[in-house]
Amino acid sequence: MKSLLLPIALLASISMPTFATSSEQSLQDAQQLREIALRSHLGYDLVESLTVEVGPRLAGTPADARAVAWAEAKFAELGFDKIYKQPVEVRHWERGDASASIISPFPQPLAITALGDSVATPAGGITGEIVFFDSVDELRAVDPKQVKGKIVYIDARMHQHREGKEYSLAVAGRSIGSSVASEKGAIALIIRSVGTDKSRMPHTGNMRYQAGVKKIPAGAISTSDAMMLMAMKKRGKAITVKMDLATTSFKPKTSYNVIGEITGTTYPDEYILISGHLDSWDEGTGALDDGAGVAIAMATAKLIKPFKPKRTIRVVLFANEEGGLIGAKQYRDANAKELHKIKLAGESDFGARSIWRFDTQVHPDNLDLMAQIAKVLKPLSINHGDNKAGGGPDVSILPAKGVPVFSLRQNGTDYFDYHHTANDTLDKINPEELRQNIAAWAVVAFITAQSEKPLLALEKNKEVKH
Amino acid sequence: MKSLLLPIALLASISMPTFATSSEQSLQDAQQLREIALRSHLGYDLVESLTVEVGPRLAGTPADARAVAWAEAKFAELGFDKIYKQPVEVRHWERGDASASIISPFPQPLAITALGDSVATPAGGITGEIVFFDSVDELRAVDPKQVKGKIVYIDARMHQHREGKEYSLAVAGRSIGSSVASEKGAIALIIRSVGTDKSRMPHTGNMRYQAGVKKIPAGAISTSDAMMLMAMKKRGKAITVKMDLATTSFKPKTSYNVIGEITGTTYPDEYILISGHLDSWDEGTGALDDGAGVAIAMATAKLIKPFKPKRTIRVVLFANEEGGLIGAKQYRDANAKELHKIKLAGESDFGARSIWRFDTQVHPDNLDLMAQIAKVLKPLSINHGDNKAGGGPDVSILPAKGVPVFSLRQNGTDYFDYHHTANDTLDKINPEELRQNIAAWAVVAFITAQSEKPLLALEKNKEVKH
């Protein structure tokens, strides 16, 4: 942060809408905070620091432990009032080498990556004929005879979209494809990468073996290789592939949710929770997923501090999101009796592009406050959306416990070009767009922290739509 | 090719400029040929066939031999009148595995590739402190004491440009950096990839050890890693890197220039030579470099055939361009006494984007013919350039022997995003732009083949500027 004070001319130029539930002073502060955030390098410096000084940080690995140490040290360096960590038992799986190639009819290598948690192939690799499917549903419908002893290939596609809409469809093959294939007697699974790029970078990601099903090795080939393989299929000859995945599963390790707080001046026991996840996949440096979220949350709180928030700003850097919200579930359960103190929660975990919409899931009585926030967000080109927000992966499990959440929705058009690949690196982050993010987060967190009206819990255990 | 005949309406719409040295019929044919080429899938089908059925084809490898067989079979399938091959002794080097990582102060892996012809590191890799340079010139100027026993890193950058202008500057580190570093006592060379992308794809490419200099291993890290490394350097601590390159040099092998001809009806002993190179680097499938060139040359001749060219259209698919124009030099020397029969030559070897300019290097008395060609190219949005063309890498050595050449210059803005990487794959080719290429090549080759005026040689052994 370069300077706390805006030039008089700039302050004078800020127009003042009429507000209801926040004091004039806090709204004026929020606008000043927004302008300071738009000029601050802090967020970029943080994600650079994490990606350069730690780099990839797969849960359970020594790099994950270095990331935890980095976060504690960084919170301290930034002058957070309270810094602590919460142990989380995490899966420890490592990728090792991965290779694949077409053996016949036209030999050539394939760019492949193991899916997270995949078992290894037998030493020397596994070889089999490919059977092609467009989706898991098509695989489910097939006669097991057509699959038995073969390698299942699923070619589910997704296209660029601001909201990443096709991800949930395309990801089915990655998540459960290996179990469905194994039940039908397949010896391995290969999927087209769940990504929107045209490149040789395969996308890894989480999968789970269903209980009782034989674990078969599972990998993803790059979208370029998928296109080549489909063109080879047109030639009408049986295609045999060899795949060699040298993954290893170790015993679980202890990692940590790392938490830093800026203590509230008036209501120190009420929390505005902002977050990202500290772990990343191992092939990139996790700049977008989720170094940016870590940086956004930390920078937001640091920028708010001089404005003396009335409620406590709690930054949570969750452990092992990629393993299936592992740190978040631990956080929820370990804090079960304290969750009512969290007055609003959000996570940034969709890259670092500009925010275009502000959604919430709050008690109806607090919608007027949200409308006030939306007015201060408007100069950032952010629209006010609906009250059906999920809040971000790690906090998405909190509304069922009554915790209100918000989502600052980022432009995700190219997010799935890089998602879970070696290409998730710092150079993909536009510093200006990152600053717009932090400005928006600061506005939401600060105005909520200053609210003169109580912040109400959602109805607990209600059915949540998002 | 779907159909030879244009609808009457389309033919009627072709305006007829006035011409001097070509018959009205041949110019009318050239325009029809151009329109047919713009609608033909043949070029794309060929580059798909080569990349899918052969894939990577590094000189001297079994895949290179498969590419030769592919080319012979494809010429036959396309009905070329004469098909033959010319032996070329090629270097046989293989990459094996490559890995690198930062050991200290902040351990993390680097995406690296060996430079072509690099020696291997000792088993287990080589470890050393990095010394940073911006260019080979800066390295040349340094006191050897600062380099001795260390790993030299050269961070020469290049930016996107339609003509790829910075390549020749940036490539110096790749070509001769290892020898310069070795002379000063360095133990290894690492360069920033010679590329314009922001990605984790390192770019390989040719290098040569100077005679008498100790051979040290040489690799290129991706541009993303280069950015990360430079950010790490700012932290002010010595950086130690480990690099492990498992390259192998084998004894030279015999490969082939593969040649197909459409025999001329009137002057069968006069040749219009159009070409690409058949070899590629090993990590991509060589779609852009130079599958596209192979496809353009083959499709051009095939599309011309029904128009019965007066001179012979000779398609040469050169061996081992990547090793340093090895097949081209062999072609030049083996045909030394016949080169005067080549009336015009060109090679496509700069990707598959649209052509924007037509350059030549022909005898001044033939410039009127070139102007006629330029008129027929104009509807393709191609400008007429100058008479200083190089002709393309493999044919660039022919003007010194008197052979006139032409260049159809392609938009190379993103060529160096993919050049010599694993990302050089079929999905980077836009079929429409490829068709525009082939239409232009067909116009140039056909009008020249039909010229009623003799095609004159350049002054032999003159100094050539390009």
Side-chain angles (χ1 to χ4, degrees):
Chain A
M1 193 173 64
K2 301 281 176 188
S3 161
L4 246 182
L5 298 174
L6 279 180
I8 301 292
L10 186 50
L11 274 175
S13 72
I14 299 170
S15 70
M16 280 290 163
T18 313
F19 294 106
T21 62
S22 299
S23 74
E24 278 302 318
Q25 183 57 47
S26 74
L27 292 165
Q28 195 168 341
D29 285 351
Q31 292 173 77
Q32 189 182 0
L33 174 58
R34 181 189 68 205
E35 300 306 313
I36 289 168
L38 283 176
R39 293 182 300 157
S40 169
H41 289 198
L42 179 60
Y44 190 84
D45 290 347
L46 287 169
V47 65
E48 179 183 291
S49 173
L50 179 57
T51 56
V52 169
E53 297 166 25
V54 179
R57 45 201 179 275
L58 187 63
T61 63
D64 185 33
R66 290 197 297 271
V68 168
W70 174 91
E72 290 187 277
K74 195 58 77 174
F75 276 133
E77 183 189 323
L78 294 173
F80 276 65
D81 298 319
K82 194 173 168 192
I83 302 160
Y84 55 105
K85 57 188 186 182
Q86 181 177 54
V88 180
E89 186 182 288
V90 300
R91 179 178 78 185
H92 179 196
W93 170 92
E94 294 197 23
R95 179 176 313 281
D97 291 330
S99 65
S101 57
I102 292 167
I103 301 299
S104 68
F106 305 114
Q108 61 169 289
L110 298 167
I112 198 165
T113 190
L115 298 183
D117 215 24
S118 172
V119 295
T121 55
I126 194 165
T127 302
E129 188 187 330
I130 292 278
V131 204
F132 289 82
F133 299 92
D134 288 338
S135 66
V136 174
D137 285 345
E138 196 190 1
L139 171 61
R140 283 190 210 277
V142 80
D143 184 334
K145 282 181 202 159
Q146 293 184 43
V147 166
K148 193 170 167 56
K150 296 181 179 173
I151 297 175
V152 161
Y153 172 73
I154 301 176
D155 194 65
R157 305 192 185 190
M158 68 178 290
H159 304 90
Q160 286 196 333
H161 188 282
R162 185 168 63 173
E163 301 173 46
K165 273 189 175 167
E166 294 175 337
Y167 182 65
S168 55
L169 284 174
V171 83
R174 192 189 83 196
S175 307
I176 56 166
S178 63
S179 292
V180 179
S182 177
E183 277 180 333
K184 290 182 184 275
I187 57 170
L189 172 76
I190 297 177
I191 63 166
R192 178 193 174 99
S193 278
V194 181
T196 51
D197 53 311
K198 282 185 182 180
S199 92
R200 229 40 209 294
M201 292 284 177
H203 298 238
T204 189
N206 200 24
M207 57 163 282
R208 285 282 170 205
Y209 293 110
Q210 281 169 20
V213 168
K214 185 187 173 193
K215 295 180 178 185
I216 59 172
I221 57 172
S222 76
T223 55
S224 297
D225 288 275
M227 179 181 173
M228 190 277 292
L229 190 59
M230 296 309 283
M232 195 178 287
K233 175 173 179 266
K234 285 192 302 184
R235 269 96 183 137
K237 296 179 182 170
I239 298 173
T240 302
V241 167
K242 181 180 177 186
M243 174 168 81
D244 197 341
L245 307 180
T247 62
T248 314
S249 288
F250 300 90
K251 61 179 191 202
K253 295 284 186 301
T254 300
S255 186
Y256 298 90
N257 295 326
V258 187
I259 300 161
E261 293 179 359
I262 305 295
T263 306
T265 53
T266 312
Y267 312 109
D269 277 351
E270 297 192 10
Y271 300 98
I272 310 303
L273 187 157
I274 56 180
S275 60
H277 65 83
L278 191 54
D279 69 316
S280 78
W281 283 104
D282 51 326
E283 297 187 289
T285 61
L288 299 172
D289 187 11
D290 184 29
V294 166
I296 288 166
M298 291 178 111
T300 293
K302 167 70 177 171
L303 290 167
I304 287 175
K305 186 176 184 186
F307 289 87
K308 303 195 190 315
K310 291 180 181 173
R311 292 180 179 79
T312 294
I313 308 294
R314 175 179 285 177
V315 175
V316 182
L317 307 181
F318 289 106
N320 201 13
E321 186 272 346
E322 300 295 358
L325 317 183
I326 307 302
K329 289 171 184 166
Q330 174 66 16
Y331 183 87
R332 177 194 61 192
D333 297 342
N335 296 286
K337 293 181 181 166
E338 310 277 321
L339 293 178
H340 64 280
K341 296 180 182 173
I342 303 172
K343 299 304 176 183
L344 188 68
E347 182 179 41
S348 172
D349 184 22
F350 199 52
R353 300 290 305 275
S354 295
I355 292 163
W356 60 281
R357 199 166 107 165
F358 170 52
D359 289 348
T360 60
Q361 185 181 352
V362 300
H363 192 283
D365 287 357
N366 288 130
L367 283 171
D368 50 357
L369 181 67
M370 299 302 124
Q372 287 185 335
I373 291 171
K375 282 185 190 170
V376 186
L377 292 174
K378 208 154 182 64
L380 298 172
S381 299
I382 297 171
N383 300 322
H384 195 180
D386 59 33
N387 199 36
K388 298 174 189 168
D394 285 308
V395 306
S396 67
I397 57 178
L398 296 181
K401 301 294 180 185
V403 178
V405 296
F406 70 100
S407 293
L408 284 164
R409 297 175 69 179
Q410 294 160 295
N411 176 356
T413 305
D414 58 1
Y415 183 66
F416 291 106
D417 285 5
Y418 308 118
H419 184 246
H420 295 185
T421 73
N423 226 349
D424 177 358
T425 47
L426 183 63
D427 48 295
K428 309 307 178 306
I429 293 184
N430 176 326
E432 193 177 350
E433 295 197 60
L434 185 63
R435 286 195 291 269
Q436 187 258 14
N437 266 268
I438 294 165
W441 279 79
V443 165
V444 175
F446 181 71
I447 296 180
T448 315
Q450 305 308 83
S451 176
E452 298 186 350
K453 197 170 150 178
L455 298 160
L456 305 178
L458 300 172
E459 274 184 59
K460 287 189 192 179
N461 302 318
K462 78 188 177 82
E463 199 177 323
V464 182
K465 283 185 194 169
H466 51 82
Chain B
M1 192 173 64
K2 301 280 176 189
S3 162
L4 246 182
L5 297 173
L6 280 179
I8 302 292
L10 186 52
L11 274 175
S13 71
I14 299 170
S15 70
M16 280 289 164
T18 312
F19 295 106
T21 62
S22 299
S23 74
E24 278 302 319
Q25 183 58 46
S26 75
L27 293 165
Q28 195 168 342
D29 285 351
Q31 291 173 77
Q32 189 181 359
L33 175 58
R34 181 189 69 203
E35 301 306 313
I36 289 168
L38 284 175
R39 294 182 300 157
S40 169
H41 289 198
L42 179 60
Y44 189 85
D45 290 346
L46 287 168
V47 65
E48 179 182 292
S49 173
L50 178 58
T51 55
V52 169
E53 296 166 26
V54 180
R57 46 200 180 276
L58 187 65
T61 63
D64 185 34
R66 289 198 296 272
V68 168
W70 174 90
E72 290 187 278
K74 194 58 77 174
F75 276 133
E77 182 188 322
L78 294 173
F80 277 65
D81 299 319
K82 194 173 168 191
I83 302 160
Y84 55 106
K85 57 189 186 181
Q86 181 178 52
V88 180
E89 186 182 289
V90 300
R91 179 177 78 185
H92 180 196
W93 170 92
E94 294 198 23
R95 178 176 313 282
D97 291 330
S99 64
S101 57
I102 292 167
I103 301 299
S104 68
F106 304 114
Q108 61 169 287
L110 297 167
I112 198 165
T113 189
L115 297 184
D117 216 24
S118 171
V119 294
T121 55
I126 195 166
T127 302
E129 187 186 330
I130 292 278
V131 205
F132 289 81
F133 298 92
D134 288 338
S135 65
V136 173
D137 286 345
E138 196 190 0
L139 171 62
R140 282 190 210 279
V142 80
D143 185 333
K145 282 182 201 158
Q146 293 184 41
V147 166
K148 194 169 165 56
K150 296 180 179 173
I151 296 175
V152 161
Y153 172 72
I154 301 176
D155 194 65
R157 305 191 185 190
M158 69 178 290
H159 305 90
Q160 286 196 334
H161 188 283
R162 185 169 62 172
E163 300 172 48
K165 272 189 175 167
E166 294 176 338
Y167 182 66
S168 54
L169 283 174
V171 82
R174 192 190 82 196
S175 307
I176 56 167
S178 64
S179 292
V180 179
S182 176
E183 276 180 333
K184 290 183 185 274
I187 57 171
L189 172 76
I190 297 177
I191 62 166
R192 177 192 175 100
S193 278
V194 181
T196 52
D197 52 312
K198 281 186 182 179
S199 91
R200 234 31 214 298
M201 291 284 177
H203 297 237
T204 190
N206 201 24
M207 56 163 282
R208 284 283 169 206
Y209 292 110
Q210 280 169 21
V213 168
K214 185 186 174 194
K215 295 180 179 184
I216 60 172
I221 58 171
S222 76
T223 55
S224 297
D225 288 274
M227 178 181 172
M228 190 276 293
L229 190 59
M230 296 309 283
M232 195 178 286
K233 175 173 180 265
K234 285 192 302 183
R235 269 99 182 132
K237 296 178 182 170
I239 297 173
T240 303
V241 167
K242 181 180 177 186
M243 174 168 79
D244 197 342
L245 306 181
T247 63
T248 314
S249 288
F250 300 89
K251 61 179 190 200
K253 295 284 185 303
T254 300
S255 185
Y256 298 90
N257 296 325
V258 186
I259 301 161
E261 293 180 359
I262 305 295
T263 306
T265 53
T266 312
Y267 313 108
D269 277 351
E270 296 192 10
Y271 301 98
I272 310 303
L273 187 157
I274 56 180
S275 60
H277 65 83
L278 192 54
D279 70 316
S280 78
W281 283 104
D282 51 326
E283 297 188 288
T285 61
L288 299 171
D289 187 13
D290 185 27
V294 166
I296 288 165
M298 293 178 110
T300 294
K302 167 69 179 172
L303 290 167
I304 287 174
K305 187 176 184 185
F307 289 87
K308 302 193 191 316
K310 291 180 180 172
R311 291 180 180 80
T312 294
I313 308 294
R314 175 179 286 178
V315 174
V316 183
L317 307 180
F318 289 107
N320 202 12
E321 187 272 348
E322 300 295 359
L325 316 184
I326 307 302
K329 289 171 184 166
Q330 175 67 15
Y331 182 87
R332 176 194 61 194
D333 298 343
N335 296 286
K337 292 182 183 167
E338 309 277 319
L339 294 178
H340 63 281
K341 295 180 181 172
I342 303 173
K343 299 303 175 184
L344 188 67
E347 182 179 40
S348 171
D349 184 22
F350 198 53
R353 301 290 305 275
S354 294
I355 292 163
W356 59 281
R357 200 166 106 165
F358 171 52
D359 289 348
T360 60
Q361 184 180 351
V362 300
H363 192 282
D365 287 357
N366 288 130
L367 284 172
D368 50 356
L369 181 66
M370 299 302 124
Q372 288 186 334
I373 291 171
K375 281 184 191 171
V376 186
L377 293 175
K378 208 156 181 62
L380 298 172
S381 300
I382 297 172
N383 300 323
H384 194 180
D386 60 31
N387 200 36
K388 298 174 189 168
D394 285 309
V395 306
S396 67
I397 56 179
L398 296 180
K401 302 295 179 186
V403 178
V405 295
F406 69 101
S407 294
L408 284 164
R409 298 175 67 179
Q410 293 159 296
N411 176 358
T413 304
D414 58 0
Y415 183 66
F416 290 106
D417 286 3
Y418 308 119
H419 182 246
H420 294 185
T421 73
N423 226 347
D424 178 358
T425 47
L426 183 64
D427 48 295
K428 310 308 180 304
I429 293 183
N430 175 326
E432 193 178 349
E433 294 197 60
L434 185 64
R435 286 195 290 268
Q436 188 258 16
N437 266 268
I438 294 164
W441 279 79
V443 165
V444 175
F446 180 71
I447 296 180
T448 314
Q450 305 307 83
S451 176
E452 297 186 351
K453 199 170 150 178
L455 297 160
L456 305 179
L458 301 172
E459 277 183 56
K460 287 189 192 180
N461 303 316
K462 78 186 179 82
E463 199 177 322
V464 181
K465 283 185 192 167
H466 51 82

